[in-house]
Each structure stands twice: as C-alpha cells, then as structure tokens.
Amino acid sequence: MKKWFAVIGDPIAQSKSPEMHNKWLEIEGIDATYIPILVKPEDLEKAIQSLSLLGVSGFNVTIPHKTAIIPYLDEVDETAREMGAVNTVVRLSNGKLKGYNTDGDGFVRSLEDKIGIQKRHLPVLIIGAGGAARGIAFSLKKHGYQNITVTNRTRSKAEELIADLGTGNAIEYDEASDTLAQYKILIQTTPAGMKYSDLHLPISIDRMSKETIAADIVYNPLMTPFLKHAHNIGATVVTGLGMFVHQGAIAFEHWLGQYPNTNLMIEKLTSQLESE
Ligand code: ATR
C-alpha cells in the first residue's frame, strides 16, 4: 500500500509542512504523500484513532495539540515526555503509535548550522516558557549548553521549566531587559513578530550587544523586529526557518530512515517567504 503521512492542527491551512514533505518525498523518490488535516481540539482522540485505522505511516502534530495528544499515544519517547510535548508520531510495525519531539533538536541543529558547536558554554536567555521554549531548553541542555536562563510573562511557568530542567534560572522581564548584555545567545520563542500577531516583543532589547547571537522561532516573516534590530547593530541572526526545516527533517528520518536535504529546502522556502 502507498504510504501516507499527515499533519494535524487547528488552524492548518497556513502550514508549510505538506509542501516541504511532499517535495522531499519526490526528491527521494519515495511513493508516498503528506496531507494537512484540520482537527478541532474536541475531535483529537477520534482523529488519532481514525488516522491509525486508515493506516497512516506517521504524522506531525501542531498547535494546539502538542501536549493534549500525549494520553492518546501508546508510547512516548523519554525526551518528549520530559518536554511535555509531541510534534511527531510514528506508527510502528506492530501498529502502535509512538510520539517524539523534534522541535528542540531542530532548533539546536539550525543554531549550530550557523554558529558551530564551540559556543555551548555561552550564557543563553530564552524569552518565553511555552511548549516551544520547553523543547528548546531540554535540547540545549542535552547538547551541553550549561548556562540557561528563562524569562516569561508568567513567572511560575519559567520557574517550572527551570525546575523540570534541573538547571538554570528564571527571571522577570524587567531583569532580563536590564541585564540583556550579559546573555550571548538570545532565543525568542513568543509569537511576537509573527505575521498577523500584534504582540510586541515583551522585553526591551536596547541593551543587546553586537556580540549577541539572536535566534527567533518565528519564520514568517523571516526577519522579525527582534532579528531586524539584531541585524542593524551587527549581531548574528538565526531565523526560525532553519528550526522549522530541521524539525521536519528529523521527523522524516523517524518515518523513513533517511535525512532529507535541508539546505535545498531552506533556500526554496527563503525565496518563497521573501516574495510573500
Ligand atoms: P507554544 O507552545 O507554541 O510555545 P504557548 O504555550 O502559547 O505557545 O507559549 C507562548 C509563549 O509566549 C509563552 O511564553 C507566553 O507567555 P505566558 O506563559 O505568560 O502565557 C508568551 N506570550 C504569549 N502571548 C504573550 C503576551 N501577550 N505577552 C507576553 N508573552 C506572551
């Protein structure tokens, strides 16, 4: 039977995952297809049962289902369980569904594509403490980043993340703004700057220094106000597109055992996003 894959979320029409995975399937000569499926939160359990019944080989999970899906899976990878979020599901040969999280590792691959692996000792500040921030924090720790601070509007969530991580500090927005210069890697994980979002960056970035490496997880637009500011002062910029492409590539590898061409995809989506 022809293999098929999917992404479930709400909303889902804007997702670039189908285009990306279908292109990779075509390039790799794999006879399979990848489709977007709109799944409302109240239908999540039924949707998963249906996907399984209809023989899906694997699927991605996006907002707002990344945490809610966990109880409906047969198995969850240890790291994904720690992160509390799943974005990739594999249907194993025995029919069981196993969840993984590829967002955090996707972020670290994208970051290290740009800055290499020699900067893991530098102090990191993560802005935001939602699902994406959790994945990133756990993956940074796994890769040997030793100095992680989280700042979040809801302080308790930052504290909870740091407690789960077992290392690092949680600080208020004001403190983050005042001490910004001491953090050499800044990671923006809130929806600020995203197309159609009216959220402004929640901390002041006036004190950003030009030695900073500024990474955003938003990729549409490619250059958020946060990254534009970093670029203007001569800091290093890491757009969110690399994370998106690498999380997809790691998912693809879980399903099909091969790592697809990420550089080509980043180039293709960059020119597309720049012309939108
Ligand atoms: P995701 O799981 O995709 O990361 P999320 O859980 O909604 O999304 O988290 C988004 C992050 O953006 C959170 O850190 C959130 O802060 P809270 O934990 O205080 O909710 C932050 N965020 C969202 N809207 C915000 C706003 N208007 N001002 C400041 N921070 C905001």
Side-chain angles (χ1 to χ4, degrees):
M1 193 181 86
K2 182 169 168 157
K3 286 187 171 167
W4 65 281
F5 301 89
V7 55
I8 61 168
D10 177 19
I12 201 61
Q14 82 300 340
S15 171
K16 297 216 176 281
S17 289
E19 185 187 334
M20 177 166 75
H21 283 283
N22 283 316
K23 188 73 195 167
W24 277 333
L25 290 166
E26 183 193 322
I27 293 170
E28 303 287 336
I30 297 165
D31 184 24
T33 192
Y34 182 113
I35 55 170
I37 303 176
L38 177 72
V39 173
K40 299 264 167 223
E42 61 272 25
D43 296 329
L44 183 61
E45 184 175 9
K46 270 189 286 174
I48 294 159
Q49 287 166 350
S50 308
L51 285 164
S52 194
L53 191 70
L54 298 174
V56 75
S57 295
F59 58 97
N60 284 129
V61 183
T62 189
I63 288 171
H65 306 312
K66 289 186 187 186
T67 299
I69 194 171
I70 292 179
Y72 306 129
L73 298 172
D74 301 304
E75 294 175 31
V76 178
D77 166 74
E78 186 60 34
T79 315
R81 194 172 284 287
E82 276 180 348
M83 291 171 176
V86 159
N87 78 325
T88 299
V89 176
V90 179
R91 189 155 171 273
L92 305 172
S93 51
N94 60 9
K96 290 196 166 164
L97 297 179
K98 179 164 183 179
Y100 295 87
N101 188 307
T102 71
D103 285 330
D105 285 355
F107 175 82
V108 174
R109 284 195 199 190
S110 163
L111 177 72
E112 294 189 343
D113 266 0
K114 184 89 183 192
I115 67 167
I117 59 169
Q118 309 301 334
K119 302 209 162 89
R120 292 174 172 174
H121 60 285
L122 294 178
V124 176
L125 177 67
I126 301 176
I127 306 161
R134 286 186 78 84
I136 289 169
F138 276 94
S139 190
L140 287 169
K141 183 186 164 195
K142 189 176 84 185
H143 286 84
Y145 288 77
Q146 297 141 8
N147 190 334
I148 300 171
T149 301
V150 177
T151 187
N152 193 44
R153 170 178 59 176
T154 315
R155 167 122 188 197
S156 58
K157 272 174 71 183
E159 281 168 353
E160 198 182 326
L161 169 50
I162 289 298
D164 291 348
L165 204 58
T167 180
N169 292 300
I171 62 173
E172 298 283 349
Y173 279 160
D174 284 352
E175 188 182 344
S177 304
D178 291 344
T179 60
L180 202 69
Q182 78 188 52
Y183 299 100
K184 302 305 175 202
I185 303 178
L186 300 180
I187 306 170
Q188 199 304 106
T189 74
T190 76
M194 195 187 281
K195 200 171 176 181
Y196 310 123
S197 162
D198 49 14
L199 177 64
H200 292 288
L201 201 61
I203 66 168
S204 159
I205 50 174
D206 292 348
R207 292 194 167 88
M208 189 191 295
S209 84
K210 77 176 202 314
E211 282 74 40
T212 304
I213 295 145
D216 207 316
I217 69 162
V218 170
Y219 66 87
N220 191 4
L222 279 175
M223 289 297 279
T224 58
F226 171 70
L227 294 182
K228 277 188 186 154
H229 175 79
H231 176 76
N232 289 341
I233 64 164
T236 302
V237 163
V238 182
T239 73
L241 188 60
M243 173 182 177
F244 171 69
V245 170
H246 280 287
Q247 64 74 31
I250 304 168
F252 192 95
E253 190 177 30
H254 277 303
W255 298 325
L256 295 158
Q258 58 204 82
Y259 206 75
N261 189 327
T262 47
N263 289 336
L264 176 139
M265 192 57 61
I266 290 170
E267 270 172 43
K268 182 175 145 60
L269 293 176
T270 299
S271 54
Q272 209 180 84
L273 287 163
E274 279 172 352
S275 66
E276 266 176 15

